[in-house]
Amino acid sequence: MPGKPLLEFNDNGIYCAAGKFYIDPWKPVDDAVITHAHSDHARWGSKNYLAHHLSREVLKYRLGAEINLQTVEYGETVFKNGVQISFHPAGHIIGSAQIRVEYKGEVWVVSGDYKLEDDGVCTPFEPVKCHSFISECTFGMPVYNWKPPLEVHAEINRWWQKNIEEDRASVIVGYSLGKAQRILQHLDMSLGKVYTHGVIENTHEALRRNGIQLNPTTRITPQSNKDEVRKGIILAPPSSVGSPWMRRFYPYDFGYCSGWMALRGAKRRRAADRGFVLSDHADWDGLLQAIDATGCETVYLTHGYTAAFSRYLAEIGYDAHEAHTLYGGDEAVEEDSSTVELVNEEGEVIQPGEGAAEI
Amino acid sequence: MRAFAKLFADLDETNKTNEKVRVLKEYFTSVTDHDKIHTLALFTGRKPKRQINATFVRTWAMEMAGIPPWLFEESYQVVGDLGETIALLLPRNTSEQHKSLTEWIGEMNALANMDEAGRKQWLTDAWASMSQQERFVFNKVLTGSFRVGVSQNLIIKALADISGLDAATLTHRIMGNWDPNTFSFSQLMQEQDASDDISRPYPFYLAYAIQETSDQQKTAEEMEESLGDPANWQAEWKWDGIRAQAIYRDGKIFIWTRGEELSTDKFPELHGFLKELPDGTVLDGEAICFSDGTPLPFNVLQTRIGRKNLSKKILEESPMAFIAYDCLEYAGEDIRHLPLSERREKLEELQSKTSFPEIFRLSPVVDFSSWEDLYDLRLLSRENHAEGFMLKRLESTYQTGRKRGDWWKWKVDPLSVDAVLMYAQKGHGRRADLYTDYTFAVWDGDKLVAFAKAYSGLTDKEINQVDYFVKRNTLEKFGPVRTVKPQLVFEIGFEGINKSNRHKSGVALRFPRILRWRTDKKIEEADTIETLKNFLG
Ligand SMILES: [Zn+2]
Ligand SMILES: [Zn+2]
C-alpha cells in the first residue's frame, strides 16, 4: 500500500506530515520553512521560521523584528522530527533557496522561485537530484525565451546615456527585492548617481545589514534636490508608477524591467516608455532544463501556466501534476503586493509604530 | 525590411508624440521612395493581398518551432497576436537578410504563382533569416494584419514637416483609392493636377461627445455656460446608422464609409439619387435602413453590412436611405471653408431637386430657442429613433478629423443594469497576462443567466483587483475561460437592446460596457432578466 506522500498541498501550504512542518505556508502555522523572502512565499504570522542566512534581515524588515527565525547556510542540514531538510541555491534573488526534504530514502525538492542564468548578484542555481520536484512555472510557455541578461543590462545603460544626452530623467522600475539589486549592480556607475525610492532603499538597508555589498545609492526624500536627482537614475518600485512622487521628476523616460515585457501587450499595459525583458524566473527552456537536471519522475507545478506546462511535461514522459497554491502566479502580482501603503505622496516611507513594516 | 522593423520597434519604444514624429521623419528621409509609399500604404490600412492561407502559416510555424498544435494555440491565447506568437516561438535565426520592404512585398505578391511546396520553402527560409523583430513585422504584413499604434495625424505631421505641404492637404491626398504598386511617392507629393483621383473623399469631421454619465448629466445652465447663445447653434438628431460620404464626379459615384472604406456596391439603393446630382457633388450623411418613413434599428443595418451578397431578401428587409447633413463639394468646388449655414443652403437646394426624396433625405434641423427646450427634447430621442443630438455651430467650417469646439454629440443616457461577474478570460494584446474580459449575468428566478460580455470601463487598478479576485475564486476552468464565484457586482451600460434567439438570455446588447464597479452592492441586489426585457419596449 502506498504511504502518504512526503509532501502534500493542503489549505495552509506545502505540508510535510512526517516532519510536521510547512514550506512557504500562506496561512500562519507552527513551523514554516521559507524558500525566499517574497511576499507570496514568506507570510506573516507563523510561530517559527527557518530560512537562509541572507534572507534574515529582509524577513525581519518585512515580517517584523520579533519573529522567531532560525537561519542556515546552503548545504547545511537540519532535522525536524527525523526529516532531513537542506537549502540549495535557487538563483532567484539574494537568499533564495530550493528546499530539499529527505525521509526514509525518499527525496523531494521544492524549488520556490528560480532562474538558471547567473545574475551576478545572488548565488547561481544548482540542480538537486530528487524523486519528486515541486517547480514553479511562472513563465512556462514556449513564447518566453530570455535574451542573455548582460545584453539587457547594456541596453539599460545605453538608454540611461541617451536620456542624459536628451536632458530627460531616467526612471527604472523593478520589484524592490531582487530586480532592484540586479539592476543596480549592473548600472554603469560612471554615468551618474543612483537615487532610490524609499521602499527600495529600505530593502537595500536590510540587505546591507546582512553584509551584502551593493553599489552606493541615495535615498530620495522631500529635501532631495530635484535637479540633482534628475541628473542621475531613479530606481523605483512598480507601485510608484504614475504617482505624484514619480511625476515630479518630469520630463522623464520610464523603463520597466520584467519578464512580462517579452510580450508587446504587457508592455503597453504598463504604459512604459521602454520595456526591458529581465526576469528572475526561468524561461521555457530553463524550466525544462532544470526539471531534467533533477532526474525526477514526478513534478508538481505551481505559479502561472500550470495547466499547459503540466500537460506538456506529461506528453514528454513525466508524471506531472498541477498544484493548487496561492503563490503569486506572476511577477505582476508579486510586484503589486509590494509595500504600497507605506509610502506617502512625497515618496517618503511612513514608519509604522513599531518600526517594523507589516505587509 | 530591417529599417521598417526598426521603425516599428522605435515607435513601440516611446509614448511621446514628439519622439514618434522624430522617428517617423528620420525613417522617411532615409529610405527609398518605393519604401516610403509602401510604408504609407501599410500605415494607412492599405494592406497587400494575403497570399498564404493563415492555416498554412500556423502549421509551418508549429513544425519549425517543434511544438504540438495545442501548445501553439495556448501560446496564441497568451500572446493574443498570431504574428507575434510565431515570432516568439520560432528558433533563433541562422542567417541574415538585407532585402527592402518593397522587395519583400514584391516577393509576397509573387507567391500567387507558386505551389504549396514553393511557398513553404519561401516562408521557412524567410523566417530563418530574420531577427525576432523583423519576423514579427513581416508576419503582420504577410497575414494582412498589420496595424500600427501611430495615429494618421502623426504620420501626416512627419510628412508635412518633410515636404513643406500643409497637413490638411496631405490628409486629403492620402485618402482615396491608390495602390502602392502603381502610385508613386512623388505623385503623392505633387501639387494638385489632372491625374487627381476622382474617387478621393474628404476626411470626415468628427465630433467630440459632451461628457456625462447617467448620474452626472449636464444641466441646461451648464450647456449655456459652455456653448453660449443657442441662436448660434444648429441641432440635429444623432442618427444610428453608418457615417458615409457620397461622391458624384465625372459621371461616377463613390460611397465611402467612416472606416474610409469604399463601399459603393453595398448601397445600391443610393445609386439612383447620386447619379442625378450635378457633377462635382460630395455629401456627408448617414447611411441608414429606413422603411415607411422611419429609421430601422441598427442591428438591421448590421446584419445587412455583414452579408457578402445582397440577396433580394436582404434588400427587401433592410432598405437603405441616406440622411444628408452636409455638402462638402458643390459644382466641383471644395466648399468646406464656407460656414455651415451656407453649406446647408446648398444641401437643401440639391435635395429639393431630387426625384428620390424617400431615399435622399435631409437631416431635419431641430427647432429650439433655449437649452431647456433641447434638454427636454433630448428625452424624446429614442422615440425619434435617434441616439441624442448633434450640435453644430452655424458658423463652423468643415474641419478635418476629431476637433473640439464647433461640433458636439450629446447622447441620451446610456441604458444600464447591475450585473454579476460570472466568467473571466485573459485579455489579448496589451492585457494578455490579466483577466480582463468578463461575462456578466442577471437573475432569472434563482439562477444567474449570462447576458453580456464587456471589456472596457475599469481603471488599471480595478482591473488588477478583479484579476486578483478571479485567480483566487475560480470555480472551474474550461479552456481559457474561468467560472468565478458570483460575488462582484458591476453596472453595465449599453446603447441598445434587441431580442435574440441565439443568446440564452433571449436578448442581445449593443456596445455593452462597464460603467462602474458597484462594490456597495451584494449579488442579491443585481437586476433581473425582466428588467432587461423591459428595455425592449
Ligand atoms: Zn519570488
Ligand atoms: Zn513566487
Side-chain angles (χ1 to χ4, degrees):
Chain A
M1 192 186 104
K4 218 171 156 54
L6 183 54
L7 296 181
E8 62 192 301
F9 299 90
N10 69 18
D11 287 347
N12 301 326
I14 302 172
Y15 183 54
C16 177
K20 297 195 177 62
F21 62 87
Y22 280 87
I23 298 172
D24 292 353
W26 48 81
K27 284 189 184 161
V29 298
D30 287 345
D31 231 341
V33 180
I34 302 297
T35 60
H36 67 290
H38 275 156
S39 54
D40 55 330
H41 295 261
R43 297 198 191 226
W44 178 85
S46 289
K47 283 193 188 132
N48 299 292
Y49 291 92
L50 176 64
H52 186 266
H53 284 325
L54 293 180
S55 295
R56 185 186 65 229
E57 293 301 324
V58 175
L59 282 175
K60 285 184 172 177
Y61 160 59
R62 294 188 155 209
L63 304 183
E66 72 289 351
I67 58 165
N68 205 343
L69 172 66
Q70 181 194 348
T71 61
V72 291
E73 191 42 80
Y74 291 127
E76 193 180 331
T77 52
V78 175
F79 285 88
K80 283 187 190 283
N81 303 305
V83 176
Q84 182 185 325
I85 301 167
S86 54
F87 286 59
H88 304 269
H92 174 54
I93 59 168
I94 292 170
S96 69
Q98 306 176 73
I99 297 186
R100 182 183 183 279
V101 178
E102 180 176 351
Y103 186 61
K104 292 183 179 167
E106 188 181 351
V107 179
W108 286 59
V109 169
V110 177
S111 77
D113 295 338
Y114 65 95
K115 68 173 175 291
L116 271 62
E117 300 83 19
D118 181 354
D119 67 10
V121 177
C122 65
T123 315
F125 177 89
E126 281 173 21
V128 182
K129 293 276 175 208
C130 59
H131 301 106
S132 298
F133 187 42
I134 299 178
S135 174
E136 67 132 327
C137 62
T138 306
F139 291 103
M141 284 302 258
V143 293
Y144 298 107
N145 294 292
W146 311 143
K147 263 198 251 186
L150 289 180
E151 280 180 28
V152 182
H153 290 299
E155 277 172 32
I156 294 175
N157 284 320
R158 274 200 300 277
W159 166 79
W160 182 13
Q161 172 95 53
K162 185 166 174 254
N163 288 337
I164 294 171
E165 284 160 13
E166 290 169 9
D167 199 25
R168 279 192 302 261
S170 303
V171 181
I172 185 107
V173 172
Y175 186 51
S176 58
L177 176 59
K179 207 65 61 68
Q181 294 80 56
R182 205 175 157 190
I183 297 165
L184 172 63
Q185 293 310 93
H186 290 91
L187 286 174
D188 179 351
M189 300 300 284
S190 70
L191 292 176
K193 282 178 85 172
V194 182
Y195 293 88
T196 45
H197 183 282
V199 164
I200 289 181
E201 195 54 29
N202 285 1
T203 303
H204 285 177
E205 281 171 3
L207 290 167
R208 288 185 180 115
R209 281 198 297 278
N210 228 139
I212 307 276
Q213 302 284 329
L214 295 172
N215 281 335
T217 50
T218 308
R219 180 192 289 266
I220 296 172
T221 68
Q223 286 74 43
S224 297
N225 179 330
K226 198 183 96 183
D227 297 326
E228 282 304 310
V229 174
R230 292 192 69 259
K231 284 185 204 154
I233 190 166
I234 299 159
L235 196 47
S239 55
S240 66
V241 172
S243 67
W245 179 87
M246 192 185 274
R247 284 202 297 271
R248 72 183 162 145
F249 301 113
Y250 199 81
Y252 58 74
D253 219 55
F254 126 61
Y256 202 111
C257 298
S258 163
W260 297 110
M261 295 296 124
L263 302 189
R264 299 176 64 244
K267 196 201 115 196
R268 272 201 303 283
R269 207 191 89 65
R270 286 170 182 81
D273 294 307
R274 276 297 293 271
F276 296 106
V277 186
L278 197 64
S279 176
D280 284 327
H281 298 267
D283 64 4
W284 172 259
D285 284 334
L287 291 167
L288 292 174
Q289 201 183 318
I291 292 167
D292 180 59
T294 63
C296 69
E297 281 157 17
T298 306
V299 194
Y300 295 87
L301 283 320
T302 70
H303 293 69
Y305 304 102
T306 51
F309 194 58
S310 57
R311 177 170 171 191
Y312 183 76
L313 289 178
E315 284 186 6
I316 61 171
Y318 288 95
D319 175 23
H321 306 268
E322 211 182 331
H324 296 279
T325 67
L326 289 189
Y327 301 133
D330 55 35
E331 289 193 337
V333 170
E334 208 170 64
E335 284 160 355
D336 289 341
S337 60
S338 66
T339 56
V340 189
E341 304 77 14
L342 299 179
V343 189
N344 68 19
E345 294 265 293
E346 304 308 320
E348 264 300 87
V349 176
I350 303 161
Q351 295 293 344
E354 307 304 317
E358 199 201 313
I359 297 165
Chain B
M1 182 60 111
R2 186 161 296 178
F4 185 67
K6 182 173 182 308
L7 167 68
F8 197 89
D10 288 347
L11 290 173
D12 233 19
E13 266 174 18
T14 180
N15 288 319
K16 296 179 179 70
T17 307
N18 289 342
E19 184 68 12
K20 287 190 187 219
V21 173
R22 192 186 65 74
V23 165
L24 283 164
K25 276 159 71 175
E26 212 174 271
Y27 174 82
F28 278 118
T29 47
S30 69
V31 299
T32 64
D33 277 5
H34 287 298
D35 273 15
K36 282 187 193 124
I37 197 77
H38 278 291
T39 302
L40 195 59
L42 286 168
F43 277 29
T44 53
R46 290 169 176 80
K47 298 162 193 160
K49 198 161 166 256
R50 198 171 67 192
Q51 305 287 3
I52 305 187
N53 180 315
T55 317
F56 284 127
V57 176
R58 279 168 188 254
T59 311
W60 299 335
M62 280 176 229
E63 276 178 40
M64 197 164 163
I67 59 167
W70 69 266
L71 189 54
F72 183 90
E73 287 311 317
E74 290 270 343
S75 300
Y76 176 42
Q77 282 291 325
V78 166
V79 179
D81 179 288
L82 184 64
E84 188 182 357
T85 309
I86 293 174
L88 291 167
L89 286 174
L90 296 178
R92 278 191 180 221
N93 51 318
T94 47
S95 63
E96 288 188 3
Q97 60 81 27
H98 300 278
K99 289 177 199 159
S100 68
L101 174 66
T102 307
E103 287 172 292
W104 279 114
I105 289 179
E107 291 191 12
M108 286 177 197
N109 289 332
L111 289 171
N113 313 313
M114 233 185 248
D115 62 5
E116 195 188 311
R119 290 176 183 188
K120 182 176 178 181
Q121 190 64 46
W122 173 82
L123 183 56
T124 46
D125 287 349
W127 279 335
S129 71
M130 291 180 186
S131 71
Q132 202 176 74
Q133 181 67 28
E134 288 167 347
R135 265 179 206 160
F136 167 64
V137 173
F138 168 85
N139 288 346
K140 301 296 284 176
V141 175
L142 180 75
T143 57
S145 56
F146 184 85
R147 271 186 55 233
V148 66
V150 173
S151 72
Q152 191 159 302
N153 286 344
L154 290 193
I155 298 161
I156 297 287
K157 187 164 184 335
L159 287 176
D161 284 1
I162 292 171
S163 66
L165 293 171
D166 73 275
T169 310
L170 270 171
T171 310
H172 191 193
R173 295 256 182 102
I174 65 168
M175 296 183 81
N177 216 0
W178 54 273
D179 173 351
N181 295 306
T182 54
F183 189 63
S184 75
F185 191 72
S186 54
Q187 271 173 296
L188 183 78
M189 289 297 153
Q190 266 159 29
E191 285 306 319
Q192 220 79 342
D193 61 25
S195 73
D196 221 17
D197 173 9
I198 59 160
S199 77
R200 184 177 290 160
Y202 294 101
F204 284 107
Y205 180 14
L206 306 172
Y208 266 97
I210 289 178
Q211 288 298 323
E212 31 175 34
T213 59
S214 52
D215 51 41
Q216 260 201 319
Q217 295 193 1
K218 289 272 188 289
T219 62
E221 293 76 51
E222 284 171 315
M223 292 296 284
E224 174 103 37
E225 208 167 280
S226 42
L227 300 184
D229 188 349
N232 297 331
W233 292 85
Q234 170 174 314
E236 296 165 41
W237 295 107
K238 184 179 183 321
W239 302 105
D240 199 5
I242 291 182
R243 182 84 178 268
Q245 199 174 121
I247 297 173
Y248 183 69
R249 289 180 188 134
D250 283 0
K252 293 214 170 69
I253 59 169
F254 305 94
I255 302 169
W256 294 86
T257 47
R258 160 84 191 275
E260 282 155 26
E261 257 175 87
L262 190 56
S263 316
T264 317
D265 299 339
K266 296 225 165 199
F267 307 109
E269 296 97 324
L270 310 186
H271 296 184
F273 93 82
L274 281 171
K275 281 182 185 150
E276 61 161 39
L277 289 169
D279 188 37
T281 303
V282 178
L283 303 176
D284 182 13
E286 201 90 356
I288 190 165
C289 289
F290 226 86
S291 169
D292 297 332
T294 315
L296 300 173
F298 185 79
N299 69 325
V300 177
L301 176 59
Q302 208 170 25
T303 310
R304 170 172 166 148
I305 293 296
R307 294 292 157 85
K308 264 219 172 89
N309 299 314
L310 292 174
S311 65
K312 210 173 152 203
K313 184 160 173 277
I314 281 283
L315 287 172
E316 268 167 23
E317 281 172 1
S318 44
M320 295 298 305
F322 184 77
I323 305 186
Y325 34 69
D326 217 322
C327 177
L328 313 184
E329 187 174 307
Y330 183 81
E333 226 177 288
D334 178 356
I335 58 163
R336 291 176 298 160
H337 61 280
L338 295 180
L340 171 65
S341 48
E342 288 179 39
R343 299 199 308 276
R344 175 83 193 187
E345 274 172 30
K346 301 224 180 325
L347 176 67
E348 289 180 3
E349 180 219 310
L350 290 170
Q351 200 270 343
S352 69
K353 292 182 188 151
T354 189
S355 38
F356 299 88
E358 291 297 314
I359 293 188
F360 178 13
R361 295 168 166 271
L362 277 179
S363 176
V365 170
V366 178
D367 190 31
F368 74 109
S369 52
S370 69
W371 294 112
E372 282 94 66
D373 287 356
L374 204 60
Y375 187 89
D376 293 341
L377 279 170
R378 191 173 66 129
L379 303 176
L380 304 176
S381 293
R382 294 203 189 279
E383 280 100 290
N384 283 287
H385 309 279
E387 297 178 277
F389 283 121
M390 289 298 304
L391 303 174
K392 300 174 181 174
R393 205 184 283 278
L394 285 165
E395 287 198 342
S396 61
T397 59
Y398 192 92
Q399 301 173 50
T400 298
R402 200 176 292 282
K403 296 276 156 57
R404 257 172 221 288
D406 288 346
W407 281 24
W408 295 97
K409 49 186 178 194
W410 193 23
K411 294 217 211 173
V412 280
D413 345 343
L415 303 160
S416 77
V417 289
D418 290 332
V420 181
L421 174 65
M422 194 169 184
Y423 306 114
Q425 191 169 351
K426 285 203 179 175
H428 272 278
R430 80 179 194 103
R431 284 172 175 166
D433 54 324
L434 290 174
Y435 285 93
T436 58
D437 298 1
Y438 313 124
T439 301
F440 295 95
V442 287
W443 292 106
D444 184 8
D446 57 358
K447 280 202 304 282
L448 283 166
V449 50
F451 71 100
K453 260 189 166 195
Y455 314 90
S456 56
L458 296 181
T459 64
D460 279 6
K461 192 176 164 209
E462 286 172 330
I463 288 171
N464 280 327
Q465 289 169 335
V466 175
D467 175 73
Y468 189 85
F469 172 84
V470 169
K471 285 173 178 157
R472 280 155 188 79
N473 291 279
T474 298
L475 300 179
E476 56 180 340
K477 292 186 201 175
F478 34 94
V481 181
R482 289 185 177 210
T483 307
V484 301
K485 193 169 136 197
Q487 190 174 319
L488 308 185
V489 178
F490 295 83
E491 187 182 345
I492 308 300
F494 48 93
E495 295 288 338
I497 184 166
N498 291 103
K499 272 203 193 101
S500 164
N501 299 325
R502 290 189 304 116
H503 295 84
K504 222 181 184 176
S505 61
V507 294
L509 303 191
R510 195 164 157 241
F511 296 143
R513 62 198 178 277
I514 303 168
L515 296 181
R516 81 208 58 167
W517 187 351
R518 299 300 304 250
T519 46
D520 54 327
K521 292 212 170 182
K522 291 204 168 62
I523 57 167
E524 290 77 17
E525 297 171 77
D527 281 305
T528 63
I529 191 75
E530 282 77 26
T531 315
L532 267 176
K533 287 186 173 158
N534 284 339
F535 287 125
L536 287 169

